[in-house]
Amino acid sequence: MSETLFSPYQFKGLQLNNRIVMAPMCQYSVDAKDGIPNEWHQVHYVSRAVGGTGLIVIEMTDVDPDGRITDNDLGIWSDDHIPAFRKLIDSIHAYGSKVAIQIAHAGRKAQDAEQPVAPSVVTFPGENFKTPRALTTEEVEEMVQKYADGVRRAVQAGVDAIELHGAHGYLMHQFHSKLMNHREDKYGQNLSQFGVEVIRAVKKEMPEDMPLILRISAVEYADGGYDIDHTLEMSRAYQEAGVDMFHISSGGEGPTGQRKPGNYPGYQVPFARRFREELNVPVIAVGLLDEYALAEAVIGNGDADLVAIGRGMLRDPYWANHAALALGITKDQAGIATQYSRGY
């Protein structure tokens, strides 16, 4: 019997009511520029928990002040961040959703840093981006520890899973891409080295039964960019180092060249299926999966274990509830909040 979008899901210590994930989406709403989640984040995420989402992935949260895309992003570079994250996570848990957090560093895409850092001196195209400085070998090793410290804080704040951001042209992606990594030290000789070291370091900070998710760009669209065979090679190393689940996206490294993203519903699903089949690992599919029947089909066809909804959930905090009703699940089975049940 095939699984459905509303089949419960368990993997290691993570138990979800359904297969629906809120994709991590930056809100650029930390007005105090201190990295601490505020009332906006509280309302934003808790409303999606009330709306029935199985797993909520808190947006890109950075391990260094200069690792943010903008100074209005979330951060987790200090123990001072833990109490606000704990409050947010406790509130999400109160309405039945589980929580992951996306731990990251923007690298050369850090727009507000006085001088961004990166594997190599390769500037991201566009007027908003500055020329980065190449990290020294010692600084890369220190960066690994920053990731580990960020994960330790997230675990202390009560998350159910960790997601590392290795996609969309941010720091980990920069290290495993030949377009952005021209180093001659160990981090250039082996393009998976940085990611492997980060994974091993963060696993030491996580409970044994807590899943580690890696979001990765399956292909690059810039001319000369890598294809999925390269990503699978990197991911085998990452899996061996400790990644439990992959969240499959694509692109983000720069302007597209001859190859263009599909940008039609489900265009990234074949990437997810190939990861699932070749690595024998749970995967999250993402990318224009907002139509309820399509999301259901991705699970029912065995393309992925979980489906992440991005823009669709920005438009509709109750996407999961509405999907359940559209797919023939009763409002009681859907877990619609009692306070709202008379509206259906």
Side-chain angles (χ1 to χ4, degrees), residues 65-94:
D66 284 341
R68 293 173 288 177
I69 304 171
T70 77
D71 287 348
N72 298 105
D73 294 349
L74 291 177
I76 199 159
W77 62 80
S78 166
D79 287 356
D80 293 340
H81 294 117
I82 296 173
F85 276 108
R86 184 182 294 120
K87 176 185 175 184
L88 173 59
I89 292 162
D90 287 347
S91 297
I92 294 169
H93 283 158

Side-chain angles (χ1 to χ4, degrees), residues 25 49 83 111 116-117 121 124 128 131 170-171 174 177 187 202 220 223 230 233 265 276 304 307 331:
M25 294 171 286
Q111 296 178 36
V117 296
V121 183
F124 190 86
N128 293 328
T131 299
Y170 298 114
L171 189 64
Q174 290 165 29
S177 170
Y187 297 107
V202 304
E220 293 180 328
D223 289 336
H230 174 78
E233 180 185 351
R276 192 173 193 248
V307 169
K331 64 181 181 181

Side-chain angles (χ1 to χ4, degrees), residues 241-313:
V243 171
D244 299 298
M245 179 183 293
F246 288 88
H247 187 171
I248 311 301
S249 189
S250 63
E253 74 288 343
T256 60
Q258 288 189 326
R259 177 164 56 187
K260 309 290 184 186
N263 288 334
Y264 51 80
Y267 74 101
Q268 294 179 149
V269 171
F271 301 146
R273 187 178 187 101
R274 187 165 172 194
F275 263 76
R276 192 173 193 248
E277 292 177 345
E278 294 202 17
L279 300 185
N280 191 28
V281 66
V283 300
I284 304 171
V286 69
L288 300 180
L289 301 177
D290 303 348
E291 293 297 324
Y292 309 138
L294 175 58
E296 172 89 326
V298 169
I299 300 299
N301 291 336
D303 296 317
D305 300 271
L306 302 171
V307 169
I309 307 301
R311 291 172 177 83
M313 210 168 278

Side-chain angles (χ1 to χ4, degrees), residues 6-41:
F6 287 90
S7 298
Y9 182 73
Q10 180 171 355
F11 179 68
K12 297 186 76 172
L14 180 66
Q15 298 185 34
L16 306 179
N17 294 329
N18 56 52
R19 308 299 183 99
I20 300 168
V21 177
M22 180 182 181
M25 294 171 286
C26 289
Q27 297 296 292
Y28 306 109
S29 295
V30 184
D31 296 331
K33 300 186 178 183
D34 55 8
I36 297 174
N38 55 33
E39 192 64 24
W40 173 263
H41 302 92

Side-chain angles (χ1 to χ4, degrees), residues 107-108 115-124 130-134 174:
R108 70 175 188 159
Q115 184 175 38
V117 296
S120 302
V121 183
V122 182
T123 307
F124 190 86
K130 303 166 186 170
T131 299
R133 175 180 63 80
Q174 290 165 29

Side-chain angles (χ1 to χ4, degrees), residues 98-116:
K98 297 301 173 67
V99 186
I101 187 170
Q102 188 181 73
I103 303 295
H105 189 293
R108 70 175 188 159
K109 293 179 79 173
Q111 296 178 36
D112 287 345
E114 185 173 344
Q115 184 175 38

